[in-house]
Amino acid sequence: MMINSVGTFASIWLALWLALSVLFVLVYPLLRPALLNLHPRHGSTLLLAYWVLPFAASLLSTLILFMPPAETLLVEAHCHEDCASHVPLIDSAVLAWFGIVLGAVVVLGLVWRFVATLHRSRQLHAQFDFLGRRRGAWYEMESDCPLVFTLGWWRPRIYLSSGLRAACSEQDLDIILQHERAHQERRDNLRLLVARLCCAILPAPLAQRVLSDLQVVTEQACDFRAAERCGEVAVAETLLKIKRLLLQRPASLPQDAMAFAERDVEARIKALLVASSRVTLQGWQLLALLVLGVALLGAMVGPLHHGSEWVIDALGAHATLPH
Amino acid sequence: MLPNTLGELELGVLEALWQEADLDAKAICQRIPAIRQPSLSTVQSTLERLHRKELVSRTKSGHAYTYAPRVSRSNLLGRLMGDIIHLLHDGKLETILSSFVTVAADLDDSSLADLEALIARKKQEKALA
């Protein structure tokens, strides 16, 4: 019975995660204009929530489905062979094992991806900490290559090359560091990691496409943070200046490496120049969205219970596990 | 994945050689800080790895080799940054690091000029307001 329960749990969770992910991808074009019109601080948070939701909602609602007290509250009473409270259950060892193996593969895949990325991150940290020189809140790296980045998840650090530092004015440097500090405070690398893991059930090219907006809005959120201190026009000018600097890059830098995100810069500069037109959400609106999300999650459990029973019936493998 | 990534001990050995070139394994071992001081044989195998990676050169001197760095600190950093730019380009680092500069990638001249004109117009509007 334990095998059947775990197999059913894994099957329902994965099927629901996939179904919700596909649904969210299909609905996204309708919501996209409104989300991208928000202030990027809110837009990035809501976009992250949007792409995390299929994973979180599928996992939580499946957990609730298998939790007797919550399930009894959220699923209307109905009868099969008897009218006792029950959870849907696959009564086929083959299907149950299939669910377990599939679930294990997905969970191990996620853990593997996380550990591999963590390892790479640590390697880079150790290397740059060793080779760089600490300058207060950031590290300087002696290199002509014009590069600045924020590395790490929980306690990210800022690394800036001496080549970039030499080419920038004090104000440019201030803007760049403000931007990177915003990444640091918002823990954007961690946010992107979470989003990527939660979209892992989608095919890689599709996941890449749906997450590209999140990346651009995240950059915009940091641009806007820098603009609060230095002004939108100044930040736009610095972006353009850095762009020009890259055009005069040292020959040793790979040509193709510089040509991967031209729309990002254009979108970021344009966003800065119309910053005042962005909609800022009020606290109560964010709270209302949260309440709506919780209510939808609760409302999902009933249909999920009946839907699962219907699918299991259709597979000819139905049994019910009384509480 | 990161061809120019080195381990902590490899970096420690290189650091010792950047401070003073033409050292043998024993002298390098003594120059590595006491907290992580490795055994002589570990340093020798690390030097062998660095030699294979063409990061140090060696010359036979009696029974032992003396070593000298073949890359400078900034050269190594440059290579590392090249790796990072490549990996950012391939989207393989996006969950580890965020970059201000590398995303400011190539636009053609006319797009650049358009953006410049947009900024100038905005500046003018602000000045008039």
Side-chain angles (χ1 to χ4, degrees):
Chain A
M1 199 53 87
M2 183 68 181
I3 298 291
N4 289 12
S5 297
V6 177
T8 309
F9 178 91
S11 305
I12 292 176
W13 168 49
L14 289 177
L16 188 62
W17 184 13
L18 181 64
L20 284 178
S21 296
V22 170
L23 179 71
F24 273 51
V25 167
L26 293 174
V27 171
Y28 183 60
L30 302 175
L31 297 176
R32 187 174 184 265
L35 283 167
L36 297 190
N37 194 38
L38 292 174
H39 188 290
R41 186 176 63 238
H42 295 146
S44 59
T45 304
L46 286 183
L47 258 180
L48 174 67
Y50 186 83
W51 292 120
V52 167
L53 215 54
F55 172 83
S58 58
L59 188 60
L60 278 175
S61 55
T62 313
L63 279 170
I64 293 171
L65 196 66
F66 282 78
M67 276 179 0
E71 201 262 355
T72 311
L73 275 176
L74 296 167
V75 181
E76 64 180 79
H78 60 283
C79 304
H80 293 278
E81 283 157 14
D82 60 44
C83 295
S85 175
H86 59 272
V87 298
L89 200 67
I90 293 173
D91 190 25
S92 153
V94 175
L95 283 178
W97 274 109
F98 179 73
I100 290 174
V101 170
L102 207 59
V105 166
V106 170
V107 170
L108 286 176
L110 289 177
V111 171
W112 170 252
R113 189 183 275 203
F114 174 78
V115 170
T117 317
L118 179 69
H119 175 66
R120 201 181 308 153
S121 172
R122 286 197 164 170
Q123 258 187 335
L124 286 172
H125 253 310
Q127 196 123 334
F128 286 123
D129 284 359
F130 192 90
L131 293 169
R133 302 206 189 286
R134 192 166 190 156
R135 301 262 184 262
W138 51 279
Y139 287 76
E140 181 166 351
M141 296 173 299
E142 271 176 54
S143 169
D144 292 338
C145 175
L147 192 66
V148 56
F149 54 86
T150 302
L151 173 67
W153 291 332
W154 199 249
R155 267 178 290 198
R157 287 182 202 151
I158 300 168
Y159 300 88
L160 179 95
S161 73
S162 49
L164 183 69
R165 194 183 178 194
C168 286
S169 67
E170 280 295 313
Q171 192 190 26
D172 293 330
L173 196 62
D174 188 31
I175 286 169
I176 290 170
L177 289 174
Q178 288 292 331
H179 174 102
E180 296 302 325
R181 247 173 240 143
H183 277 311
Q184 208 176 23
E185 286 164 22
R186 291 162 42 89
R187 296 199 174 98
D188 282 329
N189 297 330
L190 186 62
R191 285 172 179 236
L192 287 172
L193 175 76
V194 168
R196 181 152 289 284
L197 291 178
C198 289
C199 288
I201 203 154
L202 293 171
L206 186 59
Q208 184 60 39
R209 224 172 51 221
V210 300
L211 290 176
S212 66
D213 276 348
L214 179 62
Q215 284 171 300
V216 175
V217 177
T218 298
E219 291 301 328
Q220 286 177 354
C222 297
D223 290 340
F224 276 50
R225 182 80 74 84
E228 281 169 19
R229 181 167 150 157
C230 309
E232 293 93 3
V233 174
V235 177
E237 279 180 324
T238 301
L239 270 172
L240 200 59
K241 181 175 173 179
I242 301 304
K243 158 73 198 104
R244 290 205 181 282
L245 181 68
L246 286 173
L247 284 176
Q248 303 151 8
R249 64 191 173 272
S252 61
L253 286 184
Q255 186 75 27
D256 62 341
M258 298 297 171
F260 69 98
E262 59 183 42
R263 283 173 304 123
D264 288 2
V265 173
E266 202 170 351
R268 286 166 63 187
I269 289 178
K270 286 179 176 170
L272 281 163
L273 298 181
V274 292
S276 55
S277 68
R278 291 296 184 100
V279 178
T280 306
L281 290 177
Q282 305 298 313
W284 68 267
Q285 289 170 310
L286 289 169
L287 187 68
L289 280 172
L290 185 68
V291 171
L292 182 70
V294 174
L296 281 175
L297 185 67
M300 265 175 69
V301 177
L304 180 62
H305 178 108
H306 296 301
S308 306
E309 286 181 343
W310 182 82
V311 172
I312 294 169
D313 264 343
L315 290 170
H318 192 236
T320 54
L321 177 66
H323 287 153
Chain B
M1 187 60 73
L2 287 161
N4 292 298
T5 296
L6 299 176
E8 204 176 338
L9 188 55
E10 289 174 318
L11 288 167
V13 167
L14 274 176
E15 180 68 41
L17 288 171
W18 284 328
Q19 282 171 16
E20 189 178 341
D22 299 322
L23 297 174
D24 62 15
K26 203 171 165 186
I28 292 168
C29 193
Q30 284 162 357
R31 280 169 171 75
I32 291 175
I35 312 165
R36 56 184 175 201
Q37 199 156 45
S39 67
L40 182 60
S41 63
T42 311
V43 170
Q44 279 166 333
S45 55
T46 305
L47 280 163
E48 184 59 38
R49 270 201 312 279
L50 289 173
H51 180 64
R52 274 204 307 271
K53 291 179 184 176
E54 299 185 350
L55 293 173
V56 297
S57 59
R58 65 185 181 192
T59 322
K60 191 93 175 167
S61 167
H63 290 297
Y65 284 112
T66 57
Y67 295 86
R70 289 182 71 174
V71 288
S72 65
R73 176 188 279 268
S74 64
N75 189 280
L76 183 63
L77 264 169
R79 289 187 192 190
L80 268 173
M81 292 201 210
D83 288 351
I84 285 195
I85 289 168
H86 270 299
L87 289 171
L88 275 172
H89 176 53
D90 296 341
K92 287 177 180 162
L93 283 183
E94 67 196 14
T95 57
I96 300 179
L97 62 85
S98 317
S99 164
F100 180 82
V101 180
T102 51
V103 292
D106 280 349
L107 292 166
D108 60 26
D109 282 343
S110 77
S111 306
L112 264 181
D114 287 349
L115 288 172
E116 210 156 40
L118 265 176
I119 294 173
R121 203 157 53 231
K122 185 73 182 178
K123 249 180 152 172
Q124 216 168 19
E125 279 171 21
K126 284 213 160 188
L128 290 173

